[in-house]
Amino acid sequence: KKGYIQEYDMSVRGGDRVPWYFAVNLADQQGNIDPQGAVNMSMRGNFRFEPLNNVTIRMSNMFSRRDITFIADGNNAEGLLLNVIRWERDYTNNEDQNTLDMQMRQQIDHFITGLNITWQPTTSLSQRLNVGLDYVTNDYTEERPWGFFYVRDGARENDLALDRNITVDYAGNYTRDLPDFLGGLASTTSWGAQYYDEFSWGINGFGEQFAG
């Protein structure tokens, strides 16, 4: 069948004391062989806030979801293209559409958020704090139904994975002019700290020989 691609974008912005921005993207890509395709969705939101004259707060957020449906392909006895090319010497007994009974699907969720705070109580002193989170989950399923031409008793596999990263960065600066007899020199003292934490987790489940 004919494949098609459609994509939609929308964004709005506004605010005076609190400028903000929000955007949504939706894309649907269908392959020319069922059930091949991908659906992508993403949202983004940013804002800036100044509660005091010397304090600025910025925040940005992004979430995306990618839902992909594959067909078996490549140099693979279960792959559609290989079986079509091999013709009478294929693995499906000339029933190449049976390769499409295998189901492969992957869903990836990705969330990113960041916070930035700057504070300048005097012209000489300034401080900055950045906090960020990056969070990704991946859910992959592969299923061969009972009676599948290559694995007659059927099989199912599910892989789950998670990755989370947290970053914190703080920095401060103090600048002062040195005495005039030093020819207009100035000194700057800087200090700061950083924190980083990563957490990863994954699990795999597999079953085979379904009841007929």
Side-chain angles (χ1 to χ4, degrees):
K1 68 180 182 68
K2 290 184 178 181
Y4 67 88
I5 298 175
Q6 53 181 337
E7 184 170 358
Y8 305 93
D9 292 282
M10 182 193 73
S11 63
V12 291
R13 66 175 67 241
D16 185 14
R17 283 187 52 84
V18 184
W20 55 269
Y21 172 80
F22 179 76
V24 177
N25 171 269
L26 178 63
D28 185 4
Q29 304 179 30
Q30 295 300 318
N32 56 0
I33 300 174
D34 279 330
Q36 187 182 35
V39 177
N40 305 318
M41 182 270 292
S42 65
M43 296 184 294
R44 181 181 298 274
N46 306 322
F47 75 88
R48 186 178 81 247
F49 179 48
E50 297 180 1
L52 301 172
N53 291 333
N54 54 14
V55 177
T56 302
I57 300 174
R58 296 179 178 88
M59 190 169 189
S60 60
N61 303 279
M62 188 278 293
F63 173 78
S64 67
R65 169 168 291 180
R66 184 167 172 80
D67 197 339
I68 313 166
T69 302
F70 303 91
I71 62 171
D73 211 343
N75 188 19
N76 174 12
E78 299 170 311
L80 174 64
L81 185 59
L82 180 139
N83 281 283
V84 170
I85 291 175
R86 287 179 65 96
W87 195 28
E88 293 180 348
R89 294 173 296 171
D90 66 2
Y91 297 92
T92 66
N93 294 322
N94 290 323
E95 298 291 337
D96 296 335
Q97 71 273 11
N98 290 340
T99 61
L100 303 179
D101 292 339
M102 182 177 177
Q103 300 177 24
M104 293 185 291
R105 184 175 178 180
Q106 184 177 31
Q107 180 176 296
I108 304 169
D109 289 343
H110 193 182
F111 175 68
I112 300 175
T113 185
L115 175 68
N116 169 263
I117 302 174
T118 58
W119 178 40
Q120 190 169 2
T122 67
T123 56
S124 301
L125 177 64
S126 63
Q127 299 184 78
R128 183 198 73 231
L129 175 67
N130 291 322
V131 181
L133 169 67
D134 191 326
Y135 190 90
V136 183
T137 60
N138 187 358
D139 185 349
Y140 175 76
T141 301
E142 184 174 290
E143 182 172 333
R144 299 164 179 83
W146 189 88
F148 187 61
F149 75 94
Y150 199 68
V151 182
R152 292 292 180 183
D153 292 335
R156 178 182 172 89
E157 179 179 356
N158 185 225
D159 299 307
L160 300 175
L162 178 150
D163 190 73
R164 184 210 66 202
N165 293 273
I166 298 175
T167 58
V168 180
D169 178 74
Y170 165 76
N173 291 282
Y174 180 72
T175 303
R176 66 188 184 94
D177 295 330
L178 297 179
D180 293 339
F181 67 85
L182 294 177
L185 295 179
S187 69
T188 300
T189 302
S190 300
W191 62 95
Q194 291 181 327
Y195 171 80
Y196 177 70
D197 178 69
E198 180 179 9
F199 173 77
S200 296
W201 171 88
I203 188 171
N204 167 266
F206 186 84
E208 58 185 359
Q209 296 181 350
F210 299 160

